[in-house]
Amino acid sequence: MEIERHQYDVVVIGAGGAGLRAAIEARQQGKKTAIVCKSLFGKAHTVMAEGGAAAAMGNVNPDDNWQVHFRDTMRGGKFLNNWRMAELHAKEAPDRVWELEAWGALFDRTKDGKISQRNFGGHEYPRLAHVGDRTGLEMIRTLQQRVVALQQEDYKIHGDHEAYIKVFAECTITRLLKDGDAISGAFGYWRENGSLIVFDAPAVVLATGGIGKSYVVTSNSWEYTGDGHALALLAGAKLINMEFIQFHPTGMVWPPSVRGILVTESVRGDGGVLRNSEGKRFMFDYIPEVFKDKYATTEEEADRWYTDQANNRRPPELLPRDEVARAINAEVKAGRGSPQGGVFLDVSTRLPAEEIRKRLPSMHHQFKELADVDITAEPMQVGPTCHYIMGGVEVDADTGAACVPGLFAAGEVSGGMHGSNRLGGNSLSDLLVFGRRAGAGAAAYVDGLTSRPKVHDAAVREAQAEALAPLERSGENPYEVHHELQRTMNDLVGIIRKAEEITEALEVVEKLKERAKGVGAAGTRIYNPGWHLALDLRNMLLVSECVAKAALMREESRGGHTRDDYPQMSAEWRRKLLVCSSSPDGSNVTVEERPQPSMREDLLTLFDRGELSKYLTEEELAEYDAAVA
Ligand code: FAD
């Protein structure tokens, strides 16, 4: 069968917020750009985002600015963040949100007509620009509209809408192609009919999102199989921070068919409180030492904060997600959970029914339809769910470039920005800031090339053989391997981890890797989900191995990595990044320690010494003292 071939300057893999923003930028820089996505165009995780995009616009509280946002982000990530990314993100997020409005987005407004901003965990001031609880939908709609506007411009000039930007939907990339060290293209297949496709392109931007489908209980949908992470790793790039997985504190726990579906943090941002089976508002018992001075210690103060933020501290329900998820886990383990194994989240006694329906329309609909619960009249039952991976492709903060020439990454597939824990709302703004930067980085890279890397026939033949192999054997059912992987990761490398369990998980993953080599897919190439899963398995197993190996190595608890056997945060470990590499066939995944670069002096001095002493080593504090002296 002949393989379809296309030539582009930049191929963007992924059509969520990061991919679309990168593609728009590459096209605006004059590059012929392809957008490839394995789902339908418009169906990406970004569209599911509810709460909003964090940007220090200062519309609701004029004291907000990039420095406060930067500090919150670093605190949320427990100081393991790539500080340059956190700086660029905090500085550029407002412009990226305003730009969306210029392209047609319509955010909710304040009374005086500015973009409204809502409270979210870990953000000192109301900061999330939002559209009810359907912000991601508006973001994707607007970015798609921008793509169409650019296509209309191209039509006027070239007589072809797709002359400079074209979407390849329901098309899955399975391998990146290289010429020597450099990227030369990508190989994939059409999901609908199974025919094969090669993109010949010197620059590839990965924007494939996360890895949640390696876990049983997750807020993520079927596309999140860690493809971009694995594609990068197999092409020679590095993954960092893979041990840090965010378990969102509030997923639905019942009925079983919807377990894991997200309950937006906006419920707590808008006043919802968490209670255990004894009716106790338990979060007051879980305020960690490092946050003691920032959170209310009584219900009265916490409640006053909603109307007077200047004179009161925040309610502890709005602690960063890792803290809230661990607290819920502990309450359930102590036998104080709800009947279905979660805790109660109640907004019905906190806001009038009409207000709940207005502010949280999707949540109201979701609980009514899926669980027959009316959230305006009764509490929800919620528990932690695998939601987001902080780890990903190691990139240059300014350009999104990975260490492989021609490879770029942005959005959830990239690592560093969020450190050990992401603050809610910081992903949507991350997609816009770093999507734009990666698109510009890829365009600049193409401009700087003196010759175009070639796609070699041998590499295409290898990719083809790998892709078709599951169809050519009658092996084990891929769903069985997938199911065992999901259970293993959930039970042994989940929210609380310890060495024996992680070691056991690694043994299982090793065996599953062997079994995956023999899985077979019955049927033809035409819309064959068994075949698609057989190919996705390679990616999920690789990323799971990275997560488990890094989790075993990091002997401390920080953000989205909690070790039962090392329950404290360690200043020494904060200075270390764990970096995963692999052989091109994925058989040999290694993890190495690398020193975390020291924060630039002007950023370091944005914090006071008392706070830094909770995270930094004595040696680093001495550097701080020298800087302020
Ligand atoms: P996505 O939007 O997931 O896009 C990934 C794209 O890659 C898709 O188009 C997919 O088809 C494609 N793809 C994947 N693999 C391949 C492949 N092999 N070949 C071709 N294409 C491929 N964050 C916030 O900041 N605020 C919120 O309010 C918020 N709410 C959320 C609610 C839910 C329910 C969820 C699940 C997440 C939420 N998040 C939120 C997180 C945020 O939505 C995601 O982190 C973010 O949207 C990821 O965007 P992305 O562009 O990196 O990837």
Side-chain angles (χ1 to χ4, degrees), residues 1 170 187-197 467-468 471 524-528 531-532:
M1 193 184 195
E170 298 206 282
F187 175 94
Y189 67 92
W190 289 101
R191 297 174 73 81
E192 193 182 350
N193 60 16
S195 61
L196 307 176
I197 181 164
L468 298 181
L471 289 167
T524 68
R525 288 200 208 178
I526 297 172
Y527 234 123
N528 183 340
W531 174 39
H532 303 166

Side-chain angles (χ1 to χ4, degrees), residues 14-15 18 38-39 45-46 49-52 173 224 227 388 412 425 427-428:
K38 74 181 192 183
S39 42
H45 272 82
T46 305
E50 293 157 353
I173 299 298
Y224 264 20
D227 295 8
Y388 184 91
E412 192 168 340
S427 173
L428 291 191

Side-chain angles (χ1 to χ4, degrees), residues 12-24 46 139-140 143 205-209 409-413 428 430-432 434-436 438-439:
V12 178
I13 308 176
L20 290 178
R21 190 61 192 82
I24 289 167
T46 305
M139 183 184 271
I140 286 289
L143 292 171
V205 179
L206 292 170
T208 49
E412 192 168 340
V413 69
L428 291 191
D430 162 356
L431 310 180
L432 297 171
F434 294 106
R436 174 181 157 276

